[in-house]
Amino acid sequence: MSNATQSALRGSPREPGNQRAAFGGIEKSAVRTTADRPDFTAIQQSAEFRSLRRRLKWFVFPATAFFLIWYLGYVVAAAYFPEELAKPVVGDVNVGLLLGIGQFVTTVGLTTLYVRFARRHIDPRVDEIREQAGEFDR
């Protein structure tokens, strides 16, 4: 290790009259000072935030429950009723294949519903809470 590197690592000045020298000649800290952060505890305890959480739970929990029941129902049907799922509907397309494709359709549908729900109901309220917290004042 060179003397300059050792000096920078130790934090001692190179020469008695100079300021502390850092590795590669960088003399200022990479840590940036920022404005005061919002009071997250106060935000979390606010009525607006609690209302927002309730509204989000109103959508997320039923949607999750619906999808889990639908998915597990498909898995159980495939495990215990394979002859029913093997019945042809049109040509080589059977009930099991349609239900499997239905899983993908349901996933896309729930995602689309959530995005629409978030844009209409969640995002505007999040913006209000951020404004009240002073996050958009910069």
Side-chain angles (χ1 to χ4, degrees), residues 56-137:
L56 185 62
K57 287 178 185 179
W58 177 86
F59 181 88
V60 170
F61 288 139
T64 302
F66 164 75
F67 190 78
L68 284 175
I69 291 168
W70 163 227
Y71 175 75
L72 291 175
Y74 175 66
V75 171
V76 168
Y80 291 104
F81 307 107
E83 63 282 347
E84 295 297 319
L85 271 57
K87 289 184 180 175
V89 176
V90 177
D92 290 335
V93 177
N94 61 24
V95 174
L97 182 61
L98 292 177
L99 291 176
I101 291 171
Q103 294 287 317
F104 290 103
V105 172
T106 304
T107 302
V108 171
L110 278 175
T111 302
T112 303
L113 285 174
Y114 176 75
V115 168
R116 185 186 311 161
F117 174 79
R119 278 194 193 138
R120 289 183 181 175
H121 301 287
I122 303 300
D123 294 346
R125 293 173 82 178
V126 168
D127 291 342
E128 289 173 14
I129 292 171
R130 284 181 175 167
E131 285 178 20
Q132 290 173 359
E135 193 169 309
F136 289 148
D137 291 344

